[in-house]
Amino acid sequence: EIVLTQSPATLSLSPGERATLSCRASQSVSSYLAWYQQKLGQAPRLLIYEASNRATGIPDRFSASGSGTDFTLTISSLEPEDFAVFYCHQRSNWPYTFGQGTKLEIK
Amino acid sequence: EMQLVESGGGLAQPGGSLRLSCVDPGFTFSKNWMHWVRQAPGKGLVWVSGMSGDGSFTKYADSVKGRFTISRDNAKNTLYLQMNSLRTEDTALYYCVSGTGGYYFWGQGALVTVSS
């Protein structure tokens, strides 16, 4: 089973700042990695698929990069509505797995 | 925006069974892989199971293999998850999800509570 390790566990930033979230896979997942945002009490929302492609309707302040084992999600300038929990997810190997999440909180 | 609709959650005793259903109102149900993802209270997301569009391929997380069975009825645009030999650690909100490349579509979740 591929283990996805996200860092940091919690990130405290202010609106307007830049956020950088990391996801590291225990073995290569090629580009079959997605990022999800989950706000309290809501279902997750797809942000990024296949490592770097923004999903429909996602603002361009969200960007992502990486391939193989190291991936990054960047939010260029935080808006108040961006604070949430973020998960990475690999669909390269069965069983599919999620990272444990990074909580992005307001400083 | 298409929304999947789950049903069938509830309270079960350890060792008991429940069956979840998920209706997809879209027009491409039979073409899509469908999956179940769960989230225990206050915890992260866990992929549980997936099934190909024609039902010929099924996959499971190790934690549910041999206890849970995924199935689908393409004539009814419905996905199922039969959960047997339930354990307290199966307590979670179960989401039905689908999408190409990523899970674009999510249901509201079906709450399963396993407790004596």
Side-chain angles (χ1 to χ4, degrees):
Chain A
E1 172 176 311
I2 294 177
V3 176
L4 298 178
T5 302
Q6 292 186 241
S7 61
T10 303
L11 186 57
S12 301
L13 293 170
S14 301
E17 290 192 291
R18 181 184 187 91
T20 303
L21 287 67
S22 174
C23 176
R24 177 164 289 178
S26 59
Q27 65 189 77
S28 176
V29 299
S30 185
S31 294
Y32 296 107
L33 190 106
W35 290 93
Y36 295 85
Q37 178 191 46
Q38 187 178 32
K39 297 180 182 179
L40 197 63
Q42 296 183 16
R45 175 176 71 149
L46 176 66
L47 297 176
I48 302 288
Y49 65 95
E50 291 174 2
S52 61
N53 297 288
R54 264 190 308 276
T56 303
I58 301 303
D60 61 7
R61 64 180 180 273
F62 290 91
S63 64
S65 63
S67 67
T69 60
D70 289 298
F71 300 86
T72 300
L73 173 70
T74 301
I75 310 171
S76 59
S77 179
L78 286 165
E79 298 287 340
E81 63 267 26
D82 295 339
F83 292 89
V85 180
F86 294 81
Y87 296 95
C88 58
H89 173 54
Q90 68 84 17
R91 295 177 16 148
S92 172
N93 285 43
W94 302 104
Y96 292 169
T97 49
F98 285 90
Q100 83 281 12
T102 289
K103 182 180 181 181
L104 177 59
E105 64 178 24
I106 298 177
K107 188 174 182 180
Chain B
E1 182 177 290
M2 188 183 82
Q3 175 100 16
L4 306 173
V5 181
E6 300 99 340
S7 61
L11 176 65
Q13 292 193 330
S17 299
L18 282 174
R19 188 176 84 153
L20 304 182
S21 300
C22 169
V23 176
D24 177 350
F27 299 101
T28 59
F29 179 79
S30 64
K31 298 185 188 332
N32 298 330
W33 272 82
M34 299 289 296
H35 304 265
W36 291 97
V37 172
R38 72 184 182 185
Q39 186 169 35
K43 302 296 184 183
L45 302 172
V46 176
W47 178 85
V48 173
S49 182
M51 176 171 257
S52 60
D54 64 0
S56 60
F57 292 97
T58 59
K59 296 292 184 182
Y60 298 93
D62 289 346
S63 59
V64 306
K65 201 174 294 183
R67 301 187 299 121
F68 289 11
T69 302
I70 191 172
S71 62
R72 63 194 297 159
D73 183 338
N74 285 348
K76 295 182 178 179
N77 276 25
T78 302
L79 179 73
Y80 302 100
L81 186 67
Q82 178 66 44
M83 303 183 293
N84 298 331
S85 302
L86 283 163
R87 304 168 180 168
T88 55
E89 56 263 36
D90 295 320
T91 293
L93 189 62
Y94 284 74
Y95 292 104
C96 166
V97 301
S98 73
T100 301
Y103 304 141
Y104 273 94
F105 307 111
W106 293 70
Q108 82 287 356
L111 183 62
V112 171
T113 303
V114 184
S115 174
S116 55

